[in-house]
Amino acid sequence: MSGEIKFFDQVNAHFDRAAAYTKHPKGLLEQIRECNSVYRMAFPIEKDDGSIEVILAWRAEHSQHKLPTKGGIRYDWRVNEDEVKALSALMTYKCAMVDVPFGGAKGGVRIDRRKYSESELERITRRYTYELFRKGFIGPAVDVPAPDYGTGPKEMSWIADTYQALTQEDVNGLGCVTGKPIAQGGVRGRKEATGRGVYFGTREACSHAGDMAKLGLSTGIEGKTVVIQGLGNVGYYAAKFFSEAGARLVGLAEYEGAIHDPNGLDIEKVMAHRAETKSILDFPGAKNLAKTSDALELECDILIPAALENQITEENCDRVRAKIVGEAANGPTTAAASERLYQRGIMVIPDMYLNAGGVTVSYFEWLKNLSHVRFGRMEKRFEERAYRKLLQAVQNMTGKTLTEDEIRGFASGPSEEDLVNSGLEETMVTSYERIREKRAEHGDRPDLRTAAFIVAIDMIAVTYGDLGIFP
Ligand code: GLU
């Protein structure tokens, strides 16, 4: 599907729709829209059987208006230059949208990771890092990769280790990549961050009574029916946080197919079933659907595409029966389909906002690496003591006595994870308000995606102004 639809064109169609609402000079808009640098590489790796295979890979840096540039690395057999450019552009707009001070980048390695052993994947990752390093496409001040589809903490730790081996003098070397394991300089809460952000963002969208009334829905997440396509890191955690908030998961999809149960699916049991049988199909009590895309057409309140791009297209968008589409994946809805959903009164919460939790917490990890100190280390005990003093004063004033357990419950200082999650929540809440304000500024004419793009374009334009490049 992604072969027929040019992904970068789709992103640019969204961009153009939003740019028409702004008054920025044409040349400046062109500069923002263009993908600045693309490095395509081919390198050999030795397979376990001694044979040599040539691997194709890319890194695109869409915009260096802020440095470092930032964005994940995807391992997938469909990776191509158009996709990497489009995803790097989305990173630029995403970072600007949620006020994370990075430019946008994205990398991709064209492999089907299931066909490689762990040691082969390690050799591919280390060689890819070396190639990036040789051309100046990686470094804590230049370009900072992260996980994306098909990669995770293990690959990130190989990248960090390779980079550090090449740059012994760089005291900030660990900041060359984010999404690392905690023991290798990662930050607590990063793994769950994108899924948690998807939950926070959807919760914000569902908190406005007027907007919900237009959809025929009440406010809040509790009791809403949810369908999730893709149970990777993002989809799994989104499912978990929606369930914990009282939503009912009525449909789940993976690449082998989809399952449907209007009474609700238990995400942990589905994951255990998949680990055991290698498939989500035939889950007890649920109905099998032949294709993963069938899940997109299930009746529900909230549909969360959390897999790949170009899933909701002109071909199937009229069969979408959700009231809200929350884009957890990057680019799951084509420009034409997005417009059509809007006309049909379906609310689309755009990817560049909704899945920004990952890069937001990557930003926190990068800050941690540069500051060389765990969040909360300096203030945790100090705050605990301050709360205890306050509680003591309240007890003295009221004559009430709290037990030590109660005091401990009220007076614990924040851990790193508490602070990361609080920073993430703050980002998702305030960013949603910025989108709504921008929409209101334009008489509520633009949809949420267009409003989010306008916010991003305005932010980037200001930076170019600050740099003195454009008046
Ligand atoms: N790959 C993620 C995304 O698309 C995370 C990027 C990052 O943390 O740099 O947003």
Side-chain angles (χ1 to χ4, degrees), residues 51-274:
S51 64
I52 302 288
E53 188 181 320
V54 176
I55 306 286
L56 278 188
W58 288 263
R59 182 78 180 167
E61 292 175 357
H62 173 261
S63 176
Q64 287 100 346
H65 72 286
K66 289 210 170 162
L67 289 171
T69 53
K70 190 85 189 76
I73 297 174
R74 173 170 291 205
Y75 283 5
D76 185 55
W77 56 273
R78 290 157 287 198
V79 161
N80 60 74
E81 187 159 323
D82 174 67
E83 180 187 50
V84 173
K85 279 165 70 178
L87 291 165
S88 71
L90 277 175
M91 285 309 301
T92 296
Y93 306 128
K94 190 185 304 191
C95 291
M97 169 65 244
V98 294
D99 199 15
V100 162
F102 295 139
K106 199 72 157 207
V109 179
R110 189 185 285 170
I111 53 166
D112 180 350
R113 63 166 297 142
R114 289 167 301 179
K115 298 203 174 122
Y116 295 86
S117 70
E118 178 152 324
S119 59
E120 288 167 345
L121 287 171
E122 178 171 352
R123 286 198 286 283
I124 293 170
T125 308
R126 287 186 183 278
R127 179 63 191 253
Y128 178 66
T129 310
Y130 176 70
E131 294 293 330
L132 294 178
F133 179 77
R134 266 188 350 139
K135 298 284 180 190
F137 271 74
I138 187 169
V142 188
D143 187 353
V144 180
D148 196 78
Y149 187 86
T151 55
K154 200 181 289 171
E155 286 74 21
M156 301 308 117
S157 74
W158 291 328
I159 293 174
D161 186 59
T162 308
Y163 180 83
Q164 286 186 298
L166 292 164
T167 57
Q168 284 173 23
E169 297 285 298
D170 188 350
V171 69
N172 293 322
L174 270 182
C176 73
V177 65
T178 59
K180 303 179 290 290
I182 310 294
Q184 265 88 35
V187 75
R188 287 162 187 82
R190 173 64 184 87
K191 195 155 50 81
E192 305 85 343
T194 313
R196 185 174 262 125
V198 168
Y199 164 68
F200 283 147
T202 313
R203 187 195 67 186
E204 281 315 294
C206 291
S207 70
H208 294 276
D211 293 352
M212 288 302 103
K214 282 190 201 141
L215 302 171
L217 292 172
S218 54
T219 55
I221 295 293
E222 197 175 347
K224 291 213 165 43
T225 52
V226 178
V227 171
I228 300 190
Q229 182 207 29
L231 294 176
N233 182 52
V234 180
Y236 164 69
Y237 280 109
K240 182 172 146 64
F241 295 124
F242 276 116
S243 302
E244 284 173 9
R248 184 152 39 99
L249 298 174
V250 295
L252 294 170
E254 254 298 336
Y255 65 89
E256 64 269 15
I259 51 174
H260 178 216
D261 186 349
N263 298 317
L265 294 153
D266 181 324
I267 181 66
E268 299 306 335
K269 289 192 181 145
V270 172
M271 295 306 277
H273 171 80
R274 187 164 196 251

Side-chain angles (χ1 to χ4, degrees), residues 334-345:
T334 63
S338 189
E339 179 63 21
R340 180 82 193 120
L341 294 178
Y342 184 53
Q343 284 163 4
R344 287 182 53 211

Side-chain angles (χ1 to χ4, degrees), residues 232-376:
N233 182 52
V234 180
Y236 164 69
Y237 280 109
K240 182 172 146 64
F241 295 124
F242 276 116
S243 302
E244 284 173 9
R248 184 152 39 99
L249 298 174
V250 295
L252 294 170
E254 254 298 336
Y255 65 89
E256 64 269 15
I259 51 174
H260 178 216
D261 186 349
N263 298 317
L265 294 153
D266 181 324
I267 181 66
E268 299 306 335
K269 289 192 181 145
V270 172
M271 295 306 277
H273 171 80
R274 187 164 196 251
E276 201 186 309
T277 66
K278 305 274 171 279
S279 167
I280 57 169
L281 297 174
D282 301 324
F283 182 70
K287 189 175 150 219
N288 287 341
L289 306 176
K291 296 192 284 4
T292 174
S293 56
D294 291 340
L296 303 171
E297 300 172 21
L298 287 172
E299 193 170 339
C300 60
D301 297 324
I302 305 171
L303 170 65
I304 304 282
L308 286 171
E309 59 266 21
N310 299 339
Q311 298 299 303
I312 304 177
T313 63
E314 273 178 292
E315 191 278 312
N316 63 359
C317 66
D318 281 338
R319 297 195 298 275
V320 168
R321 286 186 286 161
K323 299 199 168 116
I324 299 173
V325 175
E327 297 184 330
N330 286 310
T333 316
T334 63
S338 189
E339 179 63 21
R340 180 82 193 120
L341 294 178
Y342 184 53
Q343 284 163 4
R344 287 182 53 211
I346 296 172
M347 175 191 258
V348 179
I349 315 174
D351 50 1
M352 57 183 291
Y353 160 69
L354 196 65
N355 71 28
V359 74
T360 300
V361 175
S362 277
Y363 170 44
F364 301 153
E365 179 175 334
W366 180 76
L367 290 175
K368 175 184 180 180
N369 296 149
L370 299 195
S371 64
H372 302 263
V373 63
R374 165 170 53 80
F375 290 112

